[in-house]
Structures are given as structure tokens and as C-alpha cells.
Amino acid sequence: MKVLIAGGAGYIGSHCVKIMTEQGYDVIVVDNLSTGHREAVKEKLYVGDIRNQAFLDELFQKEKIEAVIHFCAKSLVGVSMTEPLEYFDNNVSGTMVLLQAMAKANVKKIVFSSSAAVYGDHEEMPITEEYLTNPTNPYGETKLMMEKMMKWAEIAHGFKYVSLRYFNVAGAYTDGSIGEDHQPETHLIPIVLQTALGKRDHITVYGNDYNTADGTCVRDYIHVIDLIDAHIRALNYLSSGNISEIFNLGSEDGYSVLEIIEAARAVTGINIKQEIGPRRAGDPAKLIASSEKIGRVLGWKPKFGIKEIIRDAWSFHKKHPEGY
Ligand code: NAD
Ligand code: UDP
């Protein structure tokens, strides 16, 4: 099956490209390299923007694509608060143009990245797919709009989609050849490991006065390899003629910021320095996914725990101390 991976030069997309290629899928990549890396992709890469209809039309004519996995997005919550229109332009318009090109080319299956950010703040954990969606930032709003666009495109044009609402993605391909390299980096685990490498003096813990066991925020971390396994299952699910669905993608386990730093000390053997700082705006205290639905429908369950997540991310960081 020939699959177009949109955003395949990015952190998660490049893992999808590598793993699907190993599994015998015929994969091609589109990426504008705005946050992706040419070095992360060995397969056929078309450099271009998914908002460019002519570029996509030509691509769909040239390549006999049967399905799309869509990772393209701007995804920094803080920047989305100050530059919301850039986010709507890239994430929402980009998805709209991609769907238009797919409809023209009669390609109707799509798996795409949504986010826990569609839920906003909730007290009761774990979060199921039935929880109210109420994003607290423009980034989450763009993901919710993408889901809604898919729903109406299904009714009008017969698209079938799977939306995967990721919780916190981390880790790297086990040999450390590819991994997470964002500029600037905002995610906890890479920042902790950059501190272990001596690239940063300390890790700042964003607040220790939350209503959690140790006062720091709790998140549900999932290994990028487990995440890609879910995408492949979703693709096969659609190829078997199943209905469109939305799934949470998390492990049902929560770790606090302090627990992550401690786990990284254990994995690296380095005494990573920490300092307590103020809260980061917009951070909910706790985000833990229910993964009951994806387990039941796609037969998915995570194989890796927090130790393996940090071990594999560490292997990437040691091999690429300056990034790609
Ligand atoms: P990333 O920035 O590393 O990857 C996104 C890729 O898409 C990049 O290679 C970028 O160059 C490309 N891209 C962006 N806009 C494009 C456009 N208009 N045209 C063509 N290419 C474009 O991000 P990531 O961490 O790999 O995330 C992948 C997806 O997963 C995103 O949609 C993100 O919102 C979602 N997500 C990520 C996390 C996480 O923890 N990393 C959590 C929830 C959701
Ligand atoms: N965090 C932190 N220091 C950092 C980066 C992140 O304390 O330098 C915290 C952040 O406040 C959140 C958790 O780590 O509670 C995970 O943050 P990340 O940005 O990795 O993912 P998010 O949950 O925001 O998507």
C-alpha cells in the first residue's frame, strides 16, 4: 500500500516513516521542513507546503497514493496564544487544502494527529473520549477544528478517518538514529536530557503548588514507537472498511515532573540539577488518558514504560548532542 506521510520529516512523522518502511509499506513524505529535518528521512521526500494546492494536486497525480497519515502542524501552545492566526492558517487551512486535494484524487482514508489539548481542563481522570472538548488555547482549538472538518468531509465526500488524540509523546527509535529535535525545545524529557548532557545548567520545574501528590504536574507519557504502532493499526482498521473514529492515545499511567527527573537520573546516572520556578501559563495539573477504547477497538496497548522512554530518548541525545 502506498501511503503519504504528511509531516514525515518531523519528530513523530520520521518514526512513522522508518517503522512503516521496515514493515514493507510503500511510503512517501511531504514536508515543508519548517520544524522537520531532512536528515530524519531517508525515503522519498517532496519538500513543499500542504497549503499549496497545485503542489499537492501534482503529487497526487504522480503517485498512486491510497491513504494519508497527517502529522503536519505548528504545535507550540505558548506561541499559539500570541500568534493564533498563524496556527489557524497552518493547521486548519493546511488540513483543508490537503482534504481538497485528497477528494480530487479520490483518496479517502486519513489517520491524523489530534491532541489531549482538545479537552481543556478536567478534574476527573482518566479522560475518556466522551469528555467535553473545551480547548484552552488556539493550538487545541485548531486540532478540534480539524476533527470537525473531517466529520463534515465524511458526510459530504465519503472520507473515512481516525483521529488520534495524543497525550505526551516521548522516546526515540531504539538505536538512537532518529529522535526529538525541536528548536526551541519546550518538552520536558528532552530538556531534562539536555541538562544531563550539560547543554543546560538545570531544569526548571514549572510550579510545585499544584493539587497533585508532590505538587508538580502529572502527565501520561507514551513511547513514540507505541504511538506509531497505533497509527498502523488505525490505517489497517480503515483499510478493512471500518467506520471513522476518535481515540485517545495514552498509557493510563501518570508521572509528575519530579518523578520524570528522578527517572532520568536513574537512567543516565547523572545528578541532573533542578530548580523550582513559577507555573507555566495554561498547564493543567493532571492529564491522564483512558486507553480503554483504543484497546478494545484497535487491540492496542503500550509495550514500553517510562524507563524505556527515557532510555531511548537518552540514546538519541547522546548520539546527537547538537541535534541533527
Ligand atoms: P514536528 O514539528 O516535529 O513535526 C511536524 C512536521 O510537519 C514538521 O516536519 C514540519 O516541518 C511539518 N509541517 C508543519 N506544517 C507544515 C505544512 N504547512 N506543510 C508541510 N509540512 C508542514 O511535531 P511532532 O512533535 O512530530 O508532532 C507531530 C504531530 O503530532 C503534530 O500534529 C502535533 O500537533 C501532534 N502532537 C504532538 C504531541 C507531542 O507530544 N509531540 C502531542 C500531541 C499532538
Ligand atoms: N515542564 C517543566 N519544565 C520544563 C518543561 C516542562 O516543569 O522545562 C513541565 C510542564 O509544565 C508540564 C510537563 O512538564 O507540566 C510536561 O510538559 P511538556 O511541555 O513536555 O508537555 P505538555 O504536557 O505541555 O504537552
Side-chain angles (χ1 to χ4, degrees):
M1 187 191 327
K2 186 174 277 191
V3 182
L4 172 65
I5 316 261
Y11 164 45
I12 299 171
S14 60
H15 287 79
C16 189
V17 171
K18 192 171 174 92
I19 293 168
M20 287 188 70
T21 305
E22 280 170 0
Q23 294 189 8
Y25 289 88
D26 188 3
V27 161
I28 58 168
V29 177
V30 162
D31 203 296
N32 66 1
L33 299 178
S34 53
T35 54
H37 305 271
R38 198 181 275 279
E39 301 87 326
V41 185
K42 303 270 177 294
E43 287 67 21
K44 203 180 222 177
L45 168 65
Y46 289 90
V47 177
D49 197 295
I50 59 163
R51 288 165 294 181
N52 182 340
Q53 183 89 60
F55 164 68
L56 286 185
D57 285 346
E58 201 183 316
L59 179 78
F60 277 100
Q61 269 174 16
K62 199 166 153 199
E63 305 272 3
K64 291 276 155 279
I65 296 160
E66 287 160 72
V68 175
I69 305 187
H70 173 30
F71 293 103
C72 298
K74 285 180 184 281
S75 54
L76 298 178
V77 168
V79 180
S80 83
M81 295 292 285
T82 53
E83 298 297 337
L85 302 181
E86 245 182 49
Y87 273 63
F88 287 105
D89 176 26
N90 194 73
N91 299 0
V92 181
S93 303
T95 301
M96 181 189 74
V97 175
L98 176 63
L99 290 180
Q100 284 169 336
M102 287 174 66
K104 261 197 225 168
N106 203 28
V107 177
K108 300 283 175 72
K109 292 189 221 29
I110 180 163
V111 176
F112 73 100
S113 319
S114 185
S115 166
V118 300
Y119 291 113
D121 287 325
H122 289 277
E123 290 287 318
E124 290 297 311
M125 296 292 138
I127 295 176
T128 70
E129 292 80 357
E130 274 67 50
Y131 273 41
L132 180 75
T133 49
N134 188 20
T136 52
N137 53 66
Y139 165 67
E141 198 74 65
T142 66
K143 293 290 177 183
L144 192 56
M145 288 174 80
M146 286 165 66
E147 289 188 352
K148 290 185 174 168
M149 205 189 302
M150 298 282 169
K151 181 185 95 178
W152 295 108
E154 173 175 23
I155 293 169
H157 304 297
F159 276 93
K160 293 288 174 218
Y161 64 88
V162 169
S163 171
L164 296 170
R165 293 176 174 168
Y166 315 162
F167 282 63
N168 289 60
V169 189
Y173 196 77
T174 310
D175 66 4
S177 55
I178 53 172
E180 185 166 8
D181 176 13
H182 290 128
Q183 307 284 348
E185 191 52 77
T186 60
H187 287 146
L188 177 65
I189 290 178
I191 291 180
V192 169
L193 296 177
Q194 287 171 355
T195 312
L197 273 178
K199 299 266 144 210
R200 297 169 188 257
D201 173 64
H202 63 273
I203 164 85
T204 303
V205 176
Y206 295 147
N208 65 351
D209 57 350
Y210 285 93
N211 185 20
T212 59
D214 65 18
T216 66
C217 290
V218 170
R219 294 288 181 273
D220 181 341
Y221 294 87
I222 171 173
H223 197 299
V224 66
I225 296 177
D226 281 328
L227 187 95
I228 300 309
D229 176 42
H231 287 71
I232 297 172
R233 285 171 190 267
L235 192 65
N236 294 337
Y237 165 91
L238 290 179
S239 297
S240 308
N242 288 299
I243 58 165
S244 299
E245 270 296 2
I246 295 177
F247 298 107
N248 285 344
L249 201 34
S251 71
E252 297 202 347
D253 265 341
Y255 289 90
S256 73
V257 174
L258 294 182
E259 285 172 329
I260 292 292
I261 299 171
E262 207 41 58
R265 288 183 183 125
V267 168
T268 61
I270 295 167
N271 187 19
I272 299 159
K273 198 168 140 198
Q274 73 188 46
E275 284 183 10
I276 307 296
R279 289 183 176 199
R280 184 172 70 177
D283 274 345
K286 233 181 184 189
L287 280 175
I288 299 174
S290 161
S291 54
E292 187 278 328
K293 184 177 177 187
I294 193 166
R296 178 169 37 86
V297 181
L298 297 186
W300 177 87
K301 69 171 197 278
K303 297 186 187 69
F304 299 104
I306 200 66
K307 265 194 205 139
E308 291 89 9
I309 291 175
I310 296 175
R311 177 198 68 196
D312 294 345
W314 182 229
S315 146
F316 173 75
H317 282 273
K318 276 191 300 186
K319 274 197 174 154
H320 303 84
E322 308 299 332
Y324 280 104

